[in-house]
Amino acid sequence: MERLFEGENMNSQILQDYFTAENLMNLFETYRSFGPFFAILLPLLEAFLPFLPLIVFIVANVNSFGLWFGFLLSWIGACTGAIIVFILMRKLNKFKFIQRLKQRKTFQKLLAWVERRGFSPLFLVLCFPFTPSAAINVVAGLSKISIWQFTLAVLSGKFVMVFIVSFIGQDLHALIAQPLRGVIVAIVIFLLWLIGKKVEKRLNT
C-alpha cells in the first residue's frame, strides 16, 4: 500500500515538474511555429471530427498567439468548419441514404425543431462549449433553414463561445502557478457545462 501511494506521489510530482511556466511556454512556442494556418485548421477539423478537443485547440491558440489573435484564429476555424459541414450536408441531401435517414421519427423531430425555431435556439446552443454543436450543424444542413440564417447563428454563437474559452484559458501557466485561480476557472467551466446541459435538455423538451 505504501508503495502504491509512493507511486502516485511520484506521478503527481512528474506532472507538476512538467507543467511549469517554462515548459508550457516552450510547448506553446513550438505550436506557434506551425503558423496561423495550423491554428485555424485544428478548430475547423473539429466540426468534422467532434471527438477532437476544441477547447484544447482554443487554449493553445490564445497562449501561442495572444488573446485577440488566438481568439480570431479559433473563431475563423470553428465557423468555417461548421459552415462547410452545413453546405456538405445540403449537397448530400439528394442521396437516397440521407433520405432514408430523414424518414426516421427522431430525425424528423430534430428537423422540425430547427425549421420551426430558426435562429434563436441555434445561436443559444452554439454559445456554450459543451452542447452538441456538431449534430446541430448536420441537422441544420438537412433542414430547410437558409444558409444565411445558419451562418449568422454560427458567427454570433461561436463568437460568444470561443471568446469565453479564450478569456478563461489565455494564461494557462498562471492557472497552474496560482491554485486559487485554477479552482475559480474550474468552477466557471463546470457552470458552463451545467448551463449547456440545461439548455440542451430544455431545447430537447
Side-chain angles (χ1 to χ4, degrees), residues 136-205:
I136 294 298
N137 298 337
V138 172
V139 173
L142 297 177
S143 71
K144 296 178 181 178
I145 189 174
S146 72
I147 186 172
W148 303 114
Q149 195 174 14
F150 176 77
T151 299
L152 181 60
V154 167
L155 293 177
S156 53
K158 293 287 187 183
F159 185 95
V160 175
M161 185 275 289
V162 174
F163 184 77
I164 289 173
V165 176
S166 298
F167 186 78
I168 290 174
Q170 64 180 310
D171 197 359
L172 192 59
H173 68 269
L175 296 179
I176 296 173
Q178 302 173 20
L180 181 59
R181 186 175 176 180
V183 170
I184 294 173
V185 168
I187 293 173
V188 171
I189 292 174
F190 174 75
L191 290 175
L192 288 173
W193 175 83
L194 191 62
I195 294 171
K197 289 302 177 183
K198 292 287 185 181
V199 170
E200 181 183 353
K201 184 179 179 180
R202 177 66 176 172
L203 293 175
N204 286 336
T205 304

Side-chain angles (χ1 to χ4, degrees), residues 57-73:
F57 299 152
I58 297 173
V59 171
N61 282 347
V62 296
N63 280 273
S64 300
F65 297 94
L67 174 60
W68 296 109
F69 192 42
F71 155 74
L72 181 63
L73 295 174

Side-chain angles (χ1 to χ4, degrees), residues 48-60:
F48 294 87
L49 306 170
F51 57 83
L52 294 177
L54 177 60
I55 292 178
V56 173
F57 299 152
I58 297 173
V59 171

Side-chain angles (χ1 to χ4, degrees), residues 23-35 38 64:
N23 285 342
L24 285 173
M25 292 308 295
N26 290 335
L27 180 63
F28 292 136
E29 190 63 32
T30 302
Y31 180 88
R32 184 177 182 177
S33 66
F34 288 103
F38 190 73
S64 300

Side-chain angles (χ1 to χ4, degrees), residues 100-116:
R100 286 197 295 268
L101 176 65
K102 291 174 66 175
Q103 294 304 315
R104 296 182 179 180
K105 290 184 178 180
T106 303
F107 210 89
Q108 287 180 352
K109 289 180 180 179
L110 286 172
L111 288 173
W113 172 79
V114 170
E115 292 170 357
R116 184 174 64 252

